[in-house]
Structures are given as structure tokens and as C-alpha cells.
Amino acid sequence: MQPSPLANPLATVAQLETPGSQLDRIPPDLEDSAHFAGARLTQAAGILLRLPQEVVAQAIVVFMRFWVGPEGGSLAEFGAEQVSAASLYLTTKLSAYPKSARSLINVYAYLASLPTTCIGLEQLKGKMPETCYFVTEGTYERRRTTLFTTEQRILRTLGFNVHVNLPYTLCITYLQALDIFTHPRAPELAKRAIAHLNTALLSPQFLYLTHQPPALATAAIYLAAREVGIKMPECEWWEVFDTDREELGFLCVGMLSLEGFAQGERDKWEGKKCPMSVEDMEAEVKRRREVDG
Amino acid sequence: MASRWANEEADKVEEQRRKKDKEDKKRLKLQKQQEAEAAAQAAQEADSRPAKRRRLSNDNEPSTKSTIPEAERKLLRFEAGGWSPCRHTSNFETLNHIEEGSYGWVSRARDITTNQVVALKKVKMDYAQDGFPITALREISILQKARHTNIVRLQEILSGDDPQECVLVMEFLEHDLKTLQEEMSEPFLASEVKTLLRQLTSAMGFLHENYIMHRDLKTSNILLNNRGQLKLADFGMARYIPSSTTAPLTQLVVTLWYRAPELLLGTTSYGTEVDLWSLGCIFAELLTKSPILPGKNEVDQLSLIFSLCGLPSEKTWPAFYRLPNAKSLKLPREHRHANLGFNRAKFPFLTASGITLLSSLLALNPNDRPTAAEVLEHGYFKEQPKPKPSEMFPTFPSKAGQERRRKRSPDAPKRGEVGAGIKAVDFSSIFKDREEEESGGGGHRLRRPFAVGYPFCRLRLVALVGSWTATDRTRSVNDCASVICFEICYTSAVYLYSRLLLGPHDLLHLCPLPSFPCAGDPSLGERDCVGDLERVGDPGVTECRGEPECAERGRLGDLVGDRSRDRLRVRDRARAGDGVRDGMIG
Ligand SMILES: Nc1ncnc2c1ncn2[C@@H]1O[C@H](COP(=O)(O)OP(=O)(O)OP(=O)(O)O)[C@@H](O)[C@H]1O
Ligand SMILES: [Mg+2]
């Protein structure tokens, strides 16, 4: 069968039920936090490296794919930061914007020097100049080795399924098909829809691993239209884009719940750092056990 | 009359019956459909109930207006499978080695659980600088995406004990076209060439449509199974066509013999046209059973190209002079016979339309080459003999099943090299002495007729030293043919000049070009006696190896009707040489 250019490989139910970290008894909420912080970190690094959002989005999907399934990566073995860096490195390598190991390591070193893992993405724009070095030569060598071995592990864990189809262009195409762009507030709608697609990347429900790009794009448009107050066709227009009501409903709920989840994470790690390395994760798990007695 | 009437009556009855039948069926269908709809609706209601409850908990759910139940619409489901970690190499048992390439080892192996026979390609890893090698990563990612009947199927990637080990599992095909042609005693039939070429072009069309350039097309990278199916392999050089035209591409791509002139001349902004050049080389190779432009180095390669395809001119390839390495190349000043066009005499058995196709693929100016889609539409595939259906392809003994020795041919350029740091090739030697000769005594060559019966290799040698006295001994009466022979000789001279400059020791070895058939050429005899090896291709068309296409022969027959067979043959060559070069003035 000719694979559809719109489709992505999806996680199976079995994979979703048992993420690699759970086998190592990492508390599920910590796991969610680490995934979320890791994805945000990828986004921040992407901004500092001046990468287009498509490349960053692909890297985040690869990052998320790595963790699912009993054979997936475990936070007891891999830090979220190292997987974020390797996913981004791997993705840029295949893109038209390859980045050297050095600039990647520098950017991640800079981000790690920030006091919190709740990085405000807006403030990052135009911050750190790419040329300043934050690591010594020795550290660089060590991190580069880690980067390469992690890259290798991601490839093997995913069976080299690192290609990602994204819903962004589909989203715009659908808006055109719906003839939205004649509406004066259409740009606002498009912007909101894209924003929904971006936040969905961070979802603890792995929305990008469980739904195909057409459904993601349709749900983002549905929500954005409601928020902007643009009336959509009376009929069940989402079916034109091969999304049924069931899936649409599920995705809308998933996308909307993200705002609350993100707020929760901010409250949880305010002024603190979510454990992004194996050692920090270990320490955090230990600390919790002691607190719980 | 009566019977006719009766028939009409019967027809009428029959028609009515049919009409009724149709109506019955329609009714039945409608009824069934309604039943199905009802069932579907019930089912939907049944299993959407819990979901509805779930949705109610959130007031942001999409407004579920209760619409009148309609027939359920068929929504497309998008499938791309899932993923799982790489399996270990120990799941496969190696049967035999096929080939050690410049870039990996290929072997035939068996999946222990399924017994399926596959080809394993172990990628050589050069890990040092940038982690997992980008070339291997590209090859894998492009092969994953390029699913096409004429592209080898990548099934999975294996990992081994060494974390850096990486093995591609591909479907196994019995042959590659290079090894196969080396084993075959005669070239493919015209109908077979068409089938092969069409399959290859269709793979290429698919790639180009998906913004992928292969960049290493050659016969050893083209696989053929025993069912006549061709599949393109080795995507180690392939890459996506960059969206911006500013990013320079490395010109160090494509194995030398298949490398387009613009690459040889150092362009860094090229496109899918480089693949079409290679396609032309492969087309020619399938026709003649040997590589058509086997250059020894870049300089030699370019001179071979010019001798086959003519010289570029301001008119035919304006961008030529701006190419990096063109500066060192001094083309002879405008002369009467400049830009003689494509040397069709090399393909005496190819039809006019085949020549058009081949010469367009081997157009020096990349803009003049057709696209893969245009090639597929070419009249060459529509004329007799038609492409032979794959299932009627002969089977050949597979060498991939056993150890085998291979003839050396140049490798693909070293992978992973970047455009920077590649030294410019100095082509200044190619035409060095030519110009002097043009203005000097060399000009007399143009007027001196010489014998058609003269052994051709000698003739070329003579042309080279620029002395025609020797030819006087065997001067022929056939003036008309002489002129044509001169034309052939002329390019050979261009060819030999460059060889001479590379070193005179090459000379003896180079002189006889067997694919230049000519009366008196010893290779001619061989060609003619293979005529009895007939094979039936398309029904109704009998193909004879080593004979011109039927149409061509018919025309010749008119002209030389009453000549003896022997004479005809001589004439045949002369005719084949007529208009040897496109655009030649008589
Ligand atoms: N799927 C296959 N089935 C059978 N034989 C194959 C298959 N793939 C490759 N081969 C054989 O192995 C040879 C080398 O394969 P391939 O070109 O992919 O490797 P390579 O190392 O990149 O080659 P190169 O020498 O061109 O760099 C082919 O010419 C062919 O003979
Ligand atoms: Mg090869």
C-alpha cells in the first residue's frame, strides 16, 4: 500500500498503556511533567537556533514517540533534556537547516542555566547570541558523545520512524477550502488554529501520536472558529476532512484541557526545576518517597 | 426479412426484461441500503452513548445538533502503521554475500521466523564527526517514503551487537543490470529495452514528483527480478530538492560515467536533469550492452561526451560559459562543423524516434532534456516493437545467489563530501591543439574525400596526425559515402586529441571503437551473423538481434533495391550515417 502523505505512524493502545518510564516506577505525574518540560525545552532551543516551527514540531513528535511503549525510553535511563537535544539534532540533520553539535550543546547549556524549567518562550526571542560558548572543551566532548549515543538510541527505539507529517499546511488548505479567508477576522482564526496545533504538541495525551494530521487540523479550526466567533457551515463540515464527530470531540477536549494542564505545571515548578536529567529524576523520586514516608 | 423482424421482436422483449430486472435490482438495493442504515444508526447510537456522557462533562464539546440520520458517510482512514524498536540482526541468517560496495556490504539472507529471503545492506558507519551519518539517514528516510513498484522496498532496519551497526532489510532481487549485462551474450531486445526503460523512468518520475533526486543512477544500482520487474536501488546519494535555489549542492555526485556535463563543469545549482542525463546513459548502455561513456577521469569524461553529443555553443547552451570549470575549457573557434550534434551513427539499430529520445536525454544543455513524464509519453514506446510485457521477460540465471566476481567500474563519489573544498577541474587540455590546427594546415581535411572501404581505426589515426597521404592509396569511388565517413572521423579526432594529450600510450588501445560500425570494420562481420538469433517479442513483430529496425530497412530497400546483399550492407552503413549528426548541412 502506498502510504498516505497525510499519515503518521500512530502509537498502539498497548504502547500508550505502558510507557517505558512506568516500568521503572517513575510516578506518572512526574513523567507527564518531564515530557512537558522536555517539549517546551525543545521549543525554546528551536527559537534560539532560529529554526522554523515545522522542524521544532517534528523534533517534539520524535521526542514524544521515544517515550511510549514498554520498549520505549525510560526517564530512569534517559534525561528529558538529553532526549530533547538529540531529537532536535536528528531532526535538523534531515531538514534544510542542519545545526552543528556545538551550537546545539551551547544552546542547551544556556537554557539549563536559567533558574526555571518554565521558560517563557516570548522572552527568549533574540536572546542568547549563538556565538557565545557556555561549556568548556571537556564538557563539550562529553556532551557530544552523549548526544550521539542518544541519537542512536532514538533511531533504534523508533525503528528509524523519524519522519513526521505535520498538520500546519493542511490547516491552511482546509481554511481555504472552507472559504474562510473572505472573512475579515480570518487571519485571527488562522493564527488561533495554528496556536492550537502548537500547544497540542505538548499534550500529555500524546495527541500527535494518536491522531492523524487531518483530524488535528480540523479540530484546531473548529476550536479557533468558536473562539474567534466565525460561523462555520451548518452541516457537518468536518466530515469533508475525514474527521468524524467522535474524534473531533475527543480532540477538542484534549486541546482545551491543555491550558489547564500547562497552568498546573507552571504552578508546580514555579521558580523550581523539573528534573531533566537521570540524576535529578532519581533524586526527585527519592525525595518524594521520603516525603510520603 | 421475416427472421429479421423476429429478431427485432425478440430484442424488444429482451430489452423489457432487462429493464424490469434492473428495476428489481434497484429496489432491492435500496431496501438493503435502508436496512444497513438503520443497523448502522442503531450501532452508532449504542456505542456513542458512553462517549456522549463523556462529552457532556465538558461544555466545550462540539454542538451536536440532532440531525436527521443520514446514510453514514465514508470517511477516509489514514494508515501509516506504527513503530517498534529495531530487531536484532540475529533474526536473519546470511545465505551468501552479494557485493561489497563503496558504502556498504550487501548479502542475501533469510528471515529465520518467516523464511522470507531478503537482501541485507549493512551500512558502513563513519561516526566521528556528526553522529549518525547523514547519508545513511537520508537513504533510509527517502526509501521509507519512496514506495513505488519500481523502487526497491525497504522493509525494516536492524541493529546489531555493536550499537553503531545498522542494516537495511530490502526485498531481494535476483539481478542488477550491470552484472546481468556482463553475463549476457547479446544485448537486450528492443522490446525489452523499452520495458526496462519505462519502468526505470516511472520510478524516476515518482521520485521527481516527490522532490527527490536520485543522483547515482547507473546499471549496478538498478535491480531486476526474474519476473521482469525492475526496481531502482541505492539511495545513498539521493536527497530532497532544496526549496531555495541559493543553497549550493555538491557537484560530486553521480558515478563518473553517468555524470551530466553540467556537474563535470562544476555547477552547484542543478536539478532533476542530472538524473535524466544518467537515464540517457543507461538507455544507451541497454542498447549496446556496454557503458556508453566510460571516461577515465573528468577530463576524459567530458571529451567523450563532446565526441558523442557534439560541442556546446552559445546558441545551444548559453549558460555553458558561465559554469565554473568552463573557463579552463577553450572551445575551438566557430568553425563550419562546430556543434555537429548527436552522433547517431553509434546507434545504427535504433529507430529515428529512439534516436530523438536518446539524444534529447543526452542533451548537453540540461534545459533541453525532457522530464521523466515526457519520456514516458514519448512515441518511442508506442511504435513497434512494443514494450515486452514483464511476464514475458526471459529469465536469466541469477548470480546474486552465489559468490561472484565483478568487473571494476568507477564508484560513486565519496559520500558526505561537501561542495566546498572540491578542486576545480582543469579542462584546458581538451582542445589545446585543435584551434591551431583549425587555422593551420588542418583545414584541408574538410575537402579530402577518402575511402569508405578503409579500415576505420586507421582512418581515425590518420585524422589524428593530420596527414591524409596514406588514404590516397585506398581512395574510393564512392564520394557520397566518403563525406559521411569524414564526419565520423572528425569527432573521433576530437576524441583522440584529448586522449593524446592525456598520454600517447593510450593511443593504440583506444583507436578501434567497435561501436562505430563501418564497412571494412572487423566488428561488422560479427554483428551481421547474430541475425539468426531471433526471439519473438511483441506478437506479430519478429525481432532480430543485430539488424536495423524493419521500418528502417524498408526505406533502404527502396533505394538500393537491385544491389546485391553485400553492396546493400555497405550502403546500409552509408545510409545509417546519412544525417549522422543532427543539424548537419550536407
Ligand atoms: N535488494 C537487493 N537485491 C539483490 N541485490 C542487491 C539488492 N540491493 C543491492 N544489491 C546488490 O548489491 C550491489 C550494491 O548495492 P548498493 O548499490 O545498494 O550498495 P552501495 O554500497 O551503495 O553500492 P555502491 O558501490 O554503488 O556505492 C548492487 O549493485 C546489487 O548487485
Ligand atoms: Mg550502488
Side-chain angles (χ1 to χ4, degrees):
Chain A
M1 185 200 66
Q2 179 88 7
S4 162
L6 303 177
N8 282 321
L10 296 184
T12 62
V13 176
Q15 275 174 326
L16 291 168
E17 274 170 355
T18 10
S21 305
Q22 256 173 45
L23 298 176
D24 289 316
R25 305 207 298 159
I26 305 281
D29 79 291
L30 257 187
E31 194 193 326
D32 283 349
S33 288
H35 294 167
F36 181 77
R40 292 274 294 180
L41 184 63
T42 314
Q43 225 154 26
I47 290 169
L48 292 179
L49 289 165
R50 296 186 191 83
L51 290 168
Q53 177 61 16
E54 281 93 61
V55 177
V56 177
Q58 283 183 43
I60 293 177
V61 175
V62 168
F63 170 84
M64 292 293 190
R65 279 182 195 168
F66 179 72
W67 305 110
V68 303
E71 288 158 312
S74 159
L75 286 160
E77 201 188 341
F78 298 93
E81 177 183 345
Q82 111 196 48
V83 177
S84 157
S87 305
L88 193 59
Y89 181 60
L90 183 59
T91 311
T92 55
K93 200 188 267 186
L94 275 170
S95 80
Y97 312 87
K99 293 288 164 199
S100 69
R102 177 159 320 258
S103 49
L104 209 92
I105 287 166
N106 285 336
V107 160
Y108 273 85
Y110 167 75
L111 290 168
S113 74
L114 299 178
T116 174
T117 47
C118 297
I119 306 160
L121 296 182
E122 281 309 309
Q123 302 135 37
L124 275 178
K125 299 230 159 98
K127 262 255 180 86
M128 185 201 125
E130 242 185 89
T131 43
C132 56
Y133 292 83
F134 287 89
V135 292
T136 63
E137 217 36 36
T139 313
Y140 166 67
E141 291 289 333
R142 252 183 302 111
R143 295 212 177 146
R144 196 180 64 163
T145 308
T146 311
L147 184 70
F148 292 171
T149 48
T150 314
E151 176 191 38
Q152 177 76 43
R153 276 301 290 270
I154 294 176
L155 286 169
R156 276 165 59 185
T157 306
L158 298 190
F160 284 78
N161 279 294
V162 290
H163 184 77
V164 182
N165 287 306
L166 292 169
Y168 296 98
T169 33
L170 268 186
C171 181
I172 301 301
T173 313
Y174 289 179
L175 288 174
Q176 277 163 349
L178 288 163
D179 211 12
I180 292 291
F181 286 107
T182 50
H183 198 284
R185 267 174 299 141
E188 200 189 330
L189 188 157
K191 225 175 122 195
R192 283 217 64 91
I194 298 292
H196 276 300
L197 290 177
N198 283 339
T199 29
L201 284 165
L202 312 172
S203 158
Q205 293 170 292
F206 300 115
L207 292 180
Y208 275 71
L209 309 192
T210 50
H211 295 269
Q212 294 294 2
L216 290 166
T218 308
I221 293 172
Y222 184 92
L223 284 179
R226 287 183 59 154
E227 287 158 359
V228 178
I230 292 183
K231 227 169 124 48
M232 297 303 273
E234 288 290 322
C235 60
E236 295 170 320
W237 57 270
W238 45 86
E239 292 197 348
V240 177
F241 307 122
D242 298 300
T243 305
D244 60 29
R245 187 193 301 276
E246 189 73 27
E247 194 176 10
L248 178 66
F250 182 83
L251 277 171
C252 286
V253 173
M255 284 180 177
L256 283 170
S257 66
L258 257 171
E259 211 152 304
F261 174 75
Q263 189 55 49
E265 287 300 302
R266 268 194 295 277
D267 298 343
K268 194 163 152 194
W269 304 104
E270 180 83 80
K272 281 193 291 184
K273 297 186 90 172
C274 170
M276 299 294 276
S277 68
V278 175
E279 299 77 46
D280 292 351
M281 184 55 82
E282 229 168 68
E284 175 72 15
V285 173
K286 211 168 142 213
R287 192 188 60 79
R288 281 201 186 188
R289 288 220 187 96
E290 279 158 11
V291 169
D292 296 344
Chain B
M1 195 66 192
S3 69
R4 194 180 152 71
W5 174 252
N7 269 348
E8 269 177 36
E9 193 70 6
D11 283 352
K12 237 184 209 157
V13 174
E14 174 62 17
E15 203 191 345
Q16 257 165 11
R17 197 190 58 77
R18 261 207 301 263
K19 227 172 167 175
K20 189 171 171 299
D21 236 33
K22 226 163 143 185
E23 270 164 10
D24 283 352
K25 272 193 194 131
K26 227 167 153 182
R27 214 178 3 254
L28 209 73
K29 206 170 143 196
L30 199 74
Q31 193 186 331
K32 263 197 190 140
Q33 200 179 327
Q34 279 163 350
E35 277 167 17
E37 268 168 25
Q41 199 194 324
Q44 198 185 12
E45 265 167 19
D47 60 19
S48 70
R49 228 163 273 136
K52 276 215 174 98
R53 257 203 307 283
R54 199 170 66 218
R55 277 207 229 109
L56 281 175
S57 66
N58 191 311
D59 44 16
N60 282 306
E61 47 119 7
S63 61
T64 47
K65 269 192 281 111
S66 60
T67 45
I68 307 117
E70 304 168 47
E72 205 177 339
R73 270 166 292 236
K74 191 122 181 64
L75 305 186
L76 284 178
R77 287 285 136 235
F78 303 96
E79 294 289 346
W83 67 85
S84 50
C86 295
R87 289 199 292 160
H88 194 268
T89 43
S90 59
N91 288 290
F92 288 82
E93 172 193 49
T94 306
L95 300 174
N96 60 270
H97 256 15
I98 301 176
E99 158 94 11
E100 179 174 346
S102 54
Y103 169 65
W105 297 266
V106 181
S107 54
R108 194 166 68 104
R110 190 175 62 88
D111 185 330
I112 289 169
T113 38
T114 64
N115 270 331
Q116 187 200 16
V117 172
V118 295
L120 298 184
K121 178 169 172 178
K122 190 167 154 188
V123 180
K124 282 181 190 162
M125 289 290 164
D126 181 15
Y127 236 83
Q129 277 313 300
D130 306 304
F132 196 91
I134 175 64
T135 45
L137 208 52
R138 262 195 208 137
E139 173 166 19
I140 291 167
S141 113
I142 287 178
L143 268 176
Q144 281 172 338
K145 216 181 154 200
R147 288 282 147 88
H148 186 269
T149 36
N150 298 118
I151 294 173
V152 70
R153 217 180 95 81
L154 175 69
Q155 296 178 348
E156 61 176 305
I157 317 290
L158 306 176
S159 61
D161 292 329
D162 178 353
Q164 302 195 348
E165 198 175 333
C166 170
V167 178
L168 279 64
V169 183
M170 292 173 289
E171 60 179 319
F172 172 78
L173 283 92
E174 285 86 352
H175 312 279
D176 69 69
L177 283 184
K178 174 169 171 273
T179 320
L180 183 59
Q181 291 211 104
E182 283 164 7
E183 306 290 330
M184 286 164 63
S185 51
E186 322 137 34
F188 285 109
L189 295 171
S191 62
E192 292 162 355
V193 170
K194 281 183 197 182
T195 306
L196 295 173
L197 192 66
R198 201 165 60 173
Q199 295 184 72
L200 179 60
T201 313
S202 123
M204 190 190 289
F206 172 83
L207 291 177
H208 292 175
E209 259 170 47
N210 286 282
Y211 306 100
I212 298 164
M213 295 187 267
H214 186 279
R215 303 201 302 180
D216 195 15
L217 287 167
K218 54 174 170 179
T219 42
S220 67
N221 287 342
I222 300 166
L223 307 174
L224 184 71
N225 66 16
N226 272 337
R227 279 154 286 139
Q229 284 175 322
L230 174 150
K231 300 199 189 224
L232 185 53
D234 195 353
F235 282 66
M237 283 267 162
R239 66 162 293 159
Y240 287 101
I241 302 161
S243 47
S244 72
T245 46
T246 48
L249 295 166
T250 172
Q251 71 271 50
L252 241 185
V253 292
V254 193
T255 303
L256 186 62
W257 297 353
Y258 303 85
R259 198 180 298 166
E262 66 268 27
L263 291 171
L264 287 163
L265 289 164
T267 182
T268 53
S269 62
Y270 53 86
T272 51
E273 304 88 10
V274 299
D275 281 348
L276 285 133
W277 174 274
S278 310
L279 185 69
C281 298
I282 292 161
F283 180 17
E285 185 169 337
L286 291 175
L287 292 166
T288 60
K289 207 174 88 69
S290 55
I292 191 72
L293 296 165
K296 290 198 168 145
N297 50 45
E298 271 109 332
V299 178
D300 187 31
Q301 188 66 33
L302 199 61
S303 65
L304 285 184
I305 289 175
F306 288 157
S307 93
L308 177 67
C309 310
L311 297 172
S313 74
E314 184 62 45
K315 218 166 87 199
T316 58
W317 191 5
F320 167 78
Y321 294 96
R322 287 189 297 277
L323 291 174
N325 295 339
K327 289 174 196 79
S328 65
L329 182 76
K330 280 205 194 61
L331 286 186
R333 254 185 302 129
E334 279 309 317
H335 43 79
R336 271 205 287 165
H337 291 262
N339 190 38
L340 296 159
F342 189 76
N343 183 356
R344 58 171 60 175
K346 274 212 156 188
F347 307 93
F349 308 125
L350 189 59
T351 60
S353 124
I355 289 283
T356 330
L357 176 59
L358 180 60
S359 61
S360 67
L361 287 168
L362 294 179
L364 292 171
N365 184 349
N367 294 333
D368 292 343
R369 288 172 219 150
T371 63
E374 282 162 3
V375 173
L376 288 174
E377 287 304 309
H378 200 274
Y380 173 65
F381 295 103
K382 298 191 181 87
E383 69 179 13
Q384 294 291 356
K386 290 277 169 56
K388 178 179 275 186
S390 289
E391 52 283 10
M392 282 175 67
F393 241 70
T395 53
F396 306 94
S398 166
K399 289 276 160 176
Q402 299 134 37
E403 297 274 355
R404 63 186 178 195
R405 269 186 307 145
R406 284 165 170 262
K407 282 189 201 158
R408 284 312 300 164
S409 57
D411 288 327
K414 224 171 141 24
R415 325 222 175 202
E417 290 210 29
V418 207
I422 288 168
K423 59 168 182 16
V425 182
D426 183 8
F427 288 113
S428 57
S429 57
I430 290 191
F431 297 108
K432 213 157 116 202
D433 294 336
R434 173 98 161 266
E435 212 164 301
E436 290 145 39
E437 202 195 317
E438 285 286 314
S439 48
H444 67 277
R445 290 186 292 129
L446 303 173
R447 270 163 271 114
R448 290 301 273 269
F450 35 84
V452 78
Y454 200 85
F456 235 54
C457 44
R458 281 296 303 281
L459 202 66
R460 274 183 231 129
L461 195 60
V462 169
L464 180 76
V465 286
S467 149
W468 304 109
T469 45
T471 61
D472 291 345
R473 280 190 288 131
T474 42
R475 182 183 291 186
S476 155
V477 282
N478 194 336
D479 282 356
C480 157
S482 304
V483 177
I484 292 143
C485 285
F486 161 70
E487 292 298 338
I488 295 166
C489 158
Y490 181 85
T491 31
S492 314
V494 174
Y495 167 77
L496 282 176
Y497 266 117
S498 59
R499 305 309 288 244
L500 188 62
L501 290 162
L502 294 171
H505 53 278
D506 279 344
L507 208 59
L508 273 178
H509 162 68
L510 284 167
C511 284
L513 278 177
S515 43
F516 263 101
C518 154
D521 191 326
S523 66
L524 180 70
E526 267 169 48
R527 281 213 169 248
D528 271 3
C529 56
V530 290
D532 54 342
L533 286 160
E534 289 185 5
R535 272 207 262 161
V536 180
D538 216 33
V541 183
T542 307
E543 288 182 85
C544 314
R545 293 203 187 270
E547 284 289 319
E549 303 289 350
C550 306
E552 213 82 319
R553 223 177 325 165
R555 223 177 58 215
L556 283 171
D558 291 347
L559 288 170
V560 284
D562 58 348
R563 306 264 168 133
S564 70
R565 183 79 186 119
D566 257 17
R567 292 296 298 264
L568 174 101
R569 211 177 288 147
V570 174
R571 268 296 205 139
D572 208 343
R573 302 304 146 193
R575 277 301 298 183
D578 199 350
V580 160
R581 317 202 139 264
D582 295 333
M584 169 190 127
I585 334 137

